[in-house]
Amino acid sequence: MNNKDITIRQGRPEEAARIAELIIMAMTEECCLHFCGPNHDIHDFHRVMSSLVARHDTQYSYSNTLVAVEEDAPGRILGICVSYDGGKLHQLRQPFIDTALKEWNMDHSSIPDETQAGELYLDSLAVDPTYRGRGIAKLLLQASIEKSRALGLPSTGLLVDVGNPKAELLYNKVGFLYAGTNSWGGHGMKHFVLHN
């Protein structure tokens, strides 16, 4: 497979379970368990995340998700990038907060903001391990930057775990620059920004 065989397109509601699986990969299982609490497991998190992806009004929605597929197998998702206008964070996050309280009895209403207005925020980026090393993450990043420009946003931003220098290297190669520190899901994070 080479990059010519890869298509980047918007996710679809019927792909929610697969998209949720890759979001979990991006978030890490440890972070997911932090959000659903000690009385729930990763299967509970996946079920809830799948329901949020299938909706049109959440930060994790299929409508906010670009997927990478092979041209000869357009239903097989190789990677995903979830992104949205940072100015809509609170509105898009509310369904997650409401669902976490209902399903897990976990109150996440005080989660710190990981983005802000004026930024297309790349929330989750993941490539299936079988297909890594083939430039798929870079294609997803480039498509997301194009999405940011099409929306007229001045920048594209993301957080990367402080313990993930390999991801930092990829982001730097694409043009993202270090812009400060943050925390998310109980982890120290670095904020990277690309100005459009």
Side-chain angles (χ1 to χ4, degrees):
M1 175 184 13
N2 59 47
N3 285 351
K4 294 183 300 193
D5 302 323
I6 303 296
T7 298
I8 307 296
R9 62 165 171 79
Q10 184 174 310
R12 300 170 180 154
E14 64 271 19
E15 297 168 331
R18 175 62 172 155
I19 292 170
E21 180 183 329
L22 289 163
I23 290 171
I24 289 169
M25 192 177 298
M27 291 173 70
T28 76
E29 191 169 317
E30 180 185 351
C31 279
C32 296
L33 294 175
H34 166 82
F35 283 116
C36 66
N39 298 321
H40 300 280
D41 62 21
I42 200 65
H43 301 291
D44 296 323
F45 190 90
H46 180 265
R47 177 181 51 78
V48 167
M49 183 58 69
S50 295
S51 73
L52 292 170
V53 172
R55 293 173 57 168
H56 72 281
D57 61 344
T58 76
Q59 66 192 106
Y60 300 109
S61 172
Y62 68 90
S63 63
N64 292 326
T65 304
L66 295 175
V67 300
V69 297
E70 290 179 281
E71 287 188 7
D72 62 349
R76 183 185 316 136
I77 297 176
L78 313 178
I80 56 104
C81 187
V82 178
S83 63
Y84 46 84
D85 181 340
K88 297 180 179 177
L89 174 65
H90 294 165
Q91 167 192 339
L92 293 171
R93 182 192 278 163
Q94 195 60 49
F96 174 81
I97 292 169
D98 295 342
T99 304
L101 193 58
K102 178 183 172 192
E103 295 285 334
W104 305 321
N105 198 30
M106 297 288 290
D107 182 1
H108 293 301
S109 58
S110 61
I111 297 174
D113 291 352
E114 64 260 36
T115 185
Q116 65 275 328
E119 175 179 89
L120 181 77
Y121 179 62
L122 305 187
D123 187 292
S124 303
L125 172 69
V127 175
D128 186 299
T130 305
Y131 301 99
R132 287 181 186 162
R134 300 178 184 180
I136 295 169
K138 187 174 181 180
L139 288 174
L140 286 163
L141 283 170
Q142 290 168 334
S144 298
I145 293 164
E146 289 171 20
K147 174 182 171 180
S148 179
R149 290 176 178 149
L151 290 171
L153 294 170
S155 65
T156 306
L158 55 87
L159 295 181
V160 61
D161 193 298
V162 293
N164 193 349
K166 191 173 179 181
E168 278 188 48
L169 186 60
L170 170 64
Y171 302 138
N172 285 325
K173 282 182 181 177
V174 174
F176 286 86
L177 301 173
Y178 175 75
T181 58
N182 204 326
S183 65
W184 183 87
H187 288 267
M189 307 293 272
K190 293 181 180 179
H191 184 205
F192 283 81
V193 173
L194 183 146
H195 296 285
N196 295 331

